């Protein structure tokens, strides 16, 4: 099954980021294809290189970067949401990209399922 993920919450303040990441890992382990993760609203803050969690905490941005590099998953941040939060290409994680909201429609069309995480 081809899966797209929509993540609408930021890291560390809501469980949506962790749940979305764990879902993607589980889907890949079961042989499904995770095509793309589209970050919307506060979800765009998942892909900044500016976060620097303590050593004993998980690095959510690094998780998304690794997922992109190791499994070819597109990690896409909405341009309007990014601009509202001061996020630009210069501070994105490796594997992250800023794109338009129309890309979310494309993800929904080309995949069997679009799973949403967050309010």
């Amino acid at each position: 099954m081809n899966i797209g993920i929509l993540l609408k919450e930021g890291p560390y303040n809501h469980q949506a980021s962790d749940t979305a990441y764990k879902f993607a890992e589980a889907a890949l382990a079961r042989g499904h294809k995770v095509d793309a993760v589209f970050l919307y609203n506060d979800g765009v803050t998942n892909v900044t290189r500016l976060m620097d969690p303590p050593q004993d905490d998980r690095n959510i941005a690094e998780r998304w970067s690794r997922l992109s590099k190791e499994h070819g998953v597109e990690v896409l941040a909405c341009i309007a949401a990014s601009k509202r939060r001061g996020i630009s290409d210069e501070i994105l994680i490796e594997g992250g990209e800023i794109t338009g909201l129309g890309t979310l429609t494309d993800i929904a069309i080309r995949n069997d399922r679009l799973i949403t995480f967050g309010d």
Side-chain angles (χ1 to χ4, degrees):
M1 180 180 297
N2 293 330
I3 300 169
I5 294 175
L6 171 60
L7 177 55
K8 302 190 311 182
E9 298 292 342
Y12 307 109
N13 61 349
H14 196 282
Q15 72 181 27
S17 291
D18 291 310
T19 305
Y21 177 77
K22 292 294 187 182
F23 175 85
E25 274 190 323
L28 290 164
R30 298 278 308 214
H32 300 292
K33 179 180 186 227
V34 177
D35 174 53
V37 177
F38 190 88
L39 307 167
Y40 190 59
N41 294 337
D42 284 339
V44 298
T45 59
N46 282 281
V47 291
T48 70
R49 287 183 288 138
L50 301 179
M51 66 179 78
D52 187 22
Q55 287 182 335
D56 63 341
D57 201 354
R58 69 234 183 271
N59 188 326
I60 293 176
E62 179 55 37
R63 285 179 171 181
W64 292 117
S65 181
R66 190 173 52 248
L67 190 75
S68 175
K69 289 185 280 188
E70 292 177 4
H71 299 284
V73 177
E74 292 181 287
V75 180
L76 308 167
C78 172
I79 190 167
S82 295
K83 285 183 169 283
R84 286 184 195 108
R85 290 157 181 84
I87 296 171
S88 63
D89 289 325
E90 291 77 29
I91 63 169
L92 287 183
I93 59 168
E94 185 179 341
E97 181 183 338
I98 294 177
T99 187
L101 190 56
T103 305
L104 177 58
T105 303
D106 293 338
I107 293 168
I109 290 170
R110 72 180 182 234
N111 287 287
D112 301 311
R113 299 283 187 272
L114 177 65
I115 311 296
T116 302
F117 295 89
D119 299 327

